[in-house]
Amino acid sequence: MDMTTKLSRYAGQVAGAALALVAAQAVATTASAETTLESVIAADVVMCGSNGGRAGFSALDSKGEWQGLDVDMCRAIAASVLGDASKIQMVKTSSQTRFTALQTGEIDVLLRNATWTLSRDSKLALDFVAPTFYDGQGFMVSAAAGVSSIEDLDGATVCLLPGSTSELVAEEVFTGRGLEYTPVVIQSSSELDSAFFNGRCDVNIQSTSGLAAKRATVAENPADWVILDEIVGKDPMGPVVRQDDPQWKDIVAWTAYAMMEAEELGVTSENVAELRDEGNVKYALFLGADGDLGELLGLQNDWVYNVVSQVGNYGEMFERNLGQESPLKLARGLNAQWVDGGLLYAPPFK
């Protein structure tokens, strides 16, 4: 073996040893790193990123208390993990900061009308789990404009948030149909609302739930504004977590599924105690009186009981925040149980 070959082999051995050392250090670091579950238990609070200004999903009520479907999902996660739905902290995020806040660990879970897309799922080192609300993009205009369809919007000015799904939808719809439009990009949701309702833009494009929320809470006279019948695209929205913690992803996902399953089984906040104790095997396993479903997630076995007793099932959560009991008065639509023609479907609790 000549000297060049020996040196090359030696260099390769050194490099290999260095790589092995780095890998070992990485494994040790990973092994010693605190999981999200551990950090939440240590802090005794679940940090949830939210919109903060979206009626029906996350907003402060007249008493200064957080209310909405996303807030209730945060409360459900706290009930699962800490046994107490009140142990939450809501953190307001913008469309520009929402994902960064999760990536940097400022929050434990993002619950902020973020549409699940392939590019976001693959590029951001984040995981979207268990959609809790299915929506689509809608177009809101002044009733006085006499507009009845998207085709009537040729030449319109459109209010848009930068980096939002709405921005992409506007380009796709108007360009795809050969319609002219002028985008008016506005940095914050509150500024966009003000601009639109004061006539700076002809069209506001958002999810239909978002438009309904703005119309109900921001418009001086909700009847002055109409949402066109056409709905564009698919907007599955729900909790988002970091990609580096599969246990936490499972906990968040199965918490959402637990609320859906509870509704399908007829388990409510009012009857959950009775059903848990009546001796039925199905309810006993689901609500933690028997079996070890909680232990499989690293939780107490009564985690589902805590969620339903303190927050309710999915139907209860929907109705008080978005349904007929709320100012938005949205129909269940796609968010009905699968047995009722909707998309809500929980995997088996076995």
Side-chain angles (χ1 to χ4, degrees):
M1 184 181 296
D2 59 31
M3 183 60 68
T4 300
T5 302
K6 289 181 178 180
L7 289 173
S8 176
R9 176 172 293 182
Y10 176 72
Q13 292 171 339
V14 171
L19 288 172
L21 178 60
V22 170
Q25 290 174 334
V27 170
T29 300
T30 301
S32 62
E34 190 175 49
T35 66
T36 306
L37 177 60
E38 290 169 339
S39 65
V40 166
I41 291 174
D44 202 32
V45 66
V46 179
M47 305 285 290
C48 297
S50 71
N51 183 304
R54 192 178 179 89
F57 288 87
S58 62
L60 294 173
D61 64 14
S62 59
K63 298 179 182 179
E65 298 178 352
W66 285 94
Q67 303 291 345
L69 186 136
D70 290 340
V71 180
D72 277 351
M73 270 308 308
C74 185
R75 295 176 63 232
I77 295 167
S80 293
V81 176
L82 303 174
D84 187 342
S86 70
K87 293 184 175 181
I88 66 171
Q89 183 171 338
M90 304 303 297
V91 179
K92 291 184 68 171
T93 62
S94 69
S95 59
Q96 292 79 38
T97 64
R98 55 188 173 179
F99 297 124
T100 304
L102 184 58
Q103 292 165 332
T104 59
E106 180 183 352
I107 57 178
D108 302 310
V109 57
L110 178 65
L111 295 158
R112 191 196 182 283
N113 55 286
T115 303
W116 187 349
T117 68
L118 186 151
S119 58
R120 287 174 175 173
D121 205 353
S122 60
K123 289 181 179 180
L124 299 177
L126 302 175
D127 277 332
F128 289 73
V129 304
T132 52
F133 189 81
Y134 292 94
D135 206 347
Q137 295 288 302
F139 293 66
M140 184 158 66
V141 299
S142 168
V147 172
S148 60
S149 75
I150 294 174
E151 302 299 332
D152 297 330
L153 298 177
D154 192 22
T157 55
V158 184
C159 283
L160 298 167
L161 286 173
S164 65
T165 300
S166 304
E167 193 173 31
L168 300 176
V169 167
E171 174 66 19
E172 177 183 321
V173 170
F174 281 91
T175 302
R177 301 189 185 195
L179 304 175
E180 297 290 334
Y181 80 106
T182 301
V184 179
V185 179
I186 300 174
Q187 293 299 317
S188 77
S189 179
S190 60
E191 291 174 1
L192 188 151
D193 295 339
S194 177
F196 174 69
F197 289 119
N198 284 304
R200 183 178 170 189
C201 314
D202 301 315
V203 186
N204 187 351
I205 301 178
Q206 290 186 41
S207 63
T208 57
S209 59
L211 294 176
K214 299 300 185 184
R215 182 174 60 180
T217 60
V218 180
E220 185 175 344
N221 183 8
D224 290 341
W225 307 93
V226 297
I227 300 173
L228 301 183
D229 291 336
E230 294 174 80
I231 297 177
V232 177
K234 296 177 287 187
D235 279 346
M237 294 181 265
V240 189
V241 298
R242 288 180 291 276
Q243 208 168 56
D244 60 356
D245 195 335
Q247 180 192 31
W248 184 248
K249 176 183 177 181
D250 286 346
I251 289 171
V252 173
W254 283 97
T255 297
Y257 290 140
M259 300 181 81
M260 299 175 194
E261 181 76 355
E263 182 182 16
E264 183 176 342
L265 293 176
V267 181
T268 71
S269 57
E270 295 183 355
N271 66 17
V272 62
E274 177 185 350
L275 293 177
R276 179 191 60 176
D277 299 334
E278 74 173 14
N280 184 298
V281 174
K282 176 176 63 176
Y283 293 127
L285 178 64
F286 180 58
L287 298 173
D290 194 10
D292 62 352
L293 295 183
E295 293 178 18
L296 296 176
L297 294 170
L299 304 176
Q300 297 296 315
N301 279 332
D302 62 353
W303 66 284
V304 174
Y305 175 82
N306 290 333
V307 171
V308 179
S309 63
Q310 296 179 41
V311 184
N313 64 33
Y314 182 89
E316 291 176 284
M317 177 175 69
F318 184 97
E319 287 304 320
R320 66 172 168 263
N321 292 305
L322 305 174
Q324 298 307 305
E325 298 178 16
S326 78
L328 274 67
K329 300 191 182 303
L330 290 176
R332 286 291 293 266
L334 296 177
N335 297 289
Q337 288 282 332
W338 68 283
V339 292
D340 297 320
L343 298 179
L344 292 192
Y345 187 106
F349 277 72
K350 297 180 179 180

